[in-house]
Amino acid sequence: MKILITGATGLIGSELVNLLLEKKHTVHFLTTSKSKIVNQPNFQGFYWNPQEGKIDERCLHEVDVIVHLAGATIAKRWTKAYKQEIIESRTLSSELLFNLVKKVPNQVKQVVTASGTAIYPESFSKIYDENTIDSEDSFLSNVVKKWEESVDTFNTLGIQVCKLRTGIVFSNKGGALPEMVAPVKLGFGAALGSGKQVQSWIHLSDLVAMYYFVIEHKLEGIYNAVSPQPVSNKQLTQTIAKTLKKSLWLPNIPEFVMKLSLGEMSYLLFSSKKLSSKKIEDAGFQFQFPNVEVAIGNLY
Ligand SMILES: NC(=O)c1ccc[n+]([C@@H]2O[C@H](COP(=O)([O-])OP(=O)(O)OC[C@H]3O[C@@H](n4cnc5c(N)ncnc54)[C@H](OP(=O)(O)O)[C@@H]3O)[C@@H](O)[C@H]2O)c1
């Protein structure tokens, strides 16, 4: 199979590329950095610039599946201009891909996109699944809505669309976990706010395996890409400390302190999302790291 990936140079994309190449598939990828382009028989890069509407049309040659991961990081101060970039890096890129697929003869049958959990309502106890209609009215929730809508357009071309609403990805190579581990390592770890906020997370290996699973099984629709055992911020902080054999002695860090330093972005630390992974498990997917102690232990 030939798979075209956007955002292939990022945390999730680079692991997915490794898995697909290991399984003997051919990978095309789109990058906004010409310096990241490589040209190997089974792994070929192409330039695009969604802001300027530029895309190398050869990227689509003999492609069966598109995986859309590209998007400006949300872990950077949310100024007005940067908020616009967070949205447009996802929607303009989807539109550019859509227009290309519409214009050029091709054999694309499925589009799989990353999506977020911010769309779900805040919850400490209620578990939300993919049928949830209620949604939150926050900046990030609106990003997710616009992002999903921009990819749903592929349905009008008779192409299957699969959306993976992804929780906090656990890796030791990047993302949120190393930021949580660093203060604990230095002996300054502490839970945030009440520590009761629920964090729905997934080990990077499980997430990449899930991308492979939905491609292999030609799945469409929404799937929560979260482990079966979400944890509170307090439990997570304690698990990190236990794994690193460090003690937690500081009081919890109050929410207003983080708001002062991070602004609106502090949402990422204090929002509470308790999500179900039942739908993907019912489809036959098996998690390698369902439990937070095992996941953190594997990474650190
Ligand atoms: N990591 C998580 O915890 C998490 C959780 C939920 C959802 N997600 C979503 O999953 C996707 C992949 O996540 P990731 O952690 O792998 O992200 P990442 O490491 O930040 O990589 C994202 C990739 O997107 C491309 N990109 C960045 N800014 C762009 C822009 N302005 N326009 C077009 N492309 C741009 C870059 O590729 P080039 O430099 O090659 O162009 C980059 O390598 C993202 O959309 C993210 O929001 C991630």
Side-chain angles (χ1 to χ4, degrees):
M1 215 187 298
K2 196 183 272 186
I3 295 124
L4 170 65
I5 308 183
T6 75
T9 60
L11 180 71
I12 300 168
S14 47
E15 282 297 306
L16 181 60
V17 167
N18 289 343
L19 178 68
L20 291 170
L21 294 180
E22 200 184 291
K23 301 271 186 189
K24 307 286 177 224
H25 294 290
T26 302
V27 175
H28 279 187
F29 69 95
L30 282 162
T31 176
T32 55
S33 303
K34 286 184 177 156
S35 61
K36 292 183 193 165
I37 290 175
V38 291
N39 205 341
Q40 292 163 8
N42 288 337
F43 183 46
Q44 212 175 342
F46 299 88
Y47 176 72
W48 73 337
N49 185 327
Q51 277 291 339
E52 294 175 5
K54 288 184 186 158
I55 187 164
D56 185 336
E57 297 190 358
R58 294 171 300 170
C59 69
L60 214 54
H61 185 63
E62 292 179 345
V63 164
D64 306 288
V65 176
I66 299 175
V67 177
H68 186 28
L69 301 172
T73 178
I74 55 166
K76 206 169 134 182
R77 206 172 174 88
W78 296 356
T79 61
K80 203 172 165 206
Y82 193 65
K83 277 179 164 179
Q84 195 63 17
E85 190 174 336
I86 289 177
I87 298 170
E88 288 187 355
S89 58
R90 290 168 172 80
T91 56
L92 292 182
S93 53
S94 305
E95 280 167 31
L96 192 55
L97 281 170
F98 173 81
N99 289 333
L100 183 65
V101 171
K102 204 172 152 192
K103 183 177 124 191
V104 175
N106 67 80
Q107 60 186 53
V108 177
K109 293 162 210 74
Q110 185 191 29
V111 176
V112 184
T113 185
S115 180
T117 57
I119 196 162
Y120 291 108
E122 285 286 301
S123 159
F124 288 106
S125 54
K126 195 170 169 196
I127 301 174
Y128 287 104
D129 68 16
E130 294 83 345
N131 294 322
T132 306
I133 295 179
D134 292 350
S135 72
E136 190 184 84
D137 185 21
S138 64
F139 164 66
L140 220 49
S141 172
N142 291 325
V143 170
V144 173
K145 284 176 207 158
K146 287 181 182 155
W147 189 5
E148 291 195 352
E149 277 166 22
S150 70
V151 183
D152 282 337
T153 53
F154 284 92
N155 278 318
T156 64
L157 303 176
I159 294 172
Q160 286 190 335
V161 173
C162 184
K163 294 169 275 195
L164 297 187
R165 289 182 174 166
T166 309
I168 304 166
V169 179
F170 281 0
S171 160
N172 52 17
K173 295 182 191 144
L177 190 63
E179 304 290 330
M180 298 178 192
V181 165
V184 179
K185 255 188 189 163
L186 295 170
F188 298 113
L192 301 169
S194 69
K196 288 183 188 156
Q197 63 275 36
V198 180
Q199 314 205 287
S200 288
W201 59 276
I202 183 165
H203 189 296
L204 180 58
S205 299
D206 276 334
L207 178 60
V208 166
M210 201 182 287
Y211 272 93
Y212 193 68
F213 184 85
V214 301
I215 293 171
E216 223 186 355
H217 293 83
K218 302 179 173 51
L219 298 186
E220 61 182 324
I222 301 166
Y223 289 88
N224 289 338
V226 297
S227 83
Q229 296 175 24
V231 286
S232 69
N233 174 265
K234 188 176 171 193
Q235 271 173 287
L236 176 57
T237 314
Q238 285 173 340
T239 304
I240 293 171
K242 198 173 151 200
T243 308
L244 298 176
K245 299 188 172 50
K246 294 279 181 182
S247 54
L248 298 173
W249 55 275
L250 284 172
N252 291 10
I253 302 171
E255 189 166 346
F256 81 89
V257 173
M258 299 310 290
K259 264 200 178 138
L260 280 177
S261 69
L262 299 175
E264 199 184 343
M265 199 182 96
S266 63
Y267 167 92
L268 298 175
L269 307 176
F270 295 98
S271 74
S272 189
K273 307 282 166 175
K274 196 169 188 183
L275 305 184
S276 162
S277 59
K278 189 172 179 301
K279 187 176 174 190
I280 194 76
E281 289 181 278
D282 286 350
F285 181 77
Q286 289 182 340
F287 285 87
Q288 200 189 340
F289 301 101
N291 169 282
V292 75
E293 277 98 17
V294 180
I296 306 273
N298 169 263
L299 294 167
Y300 288 91

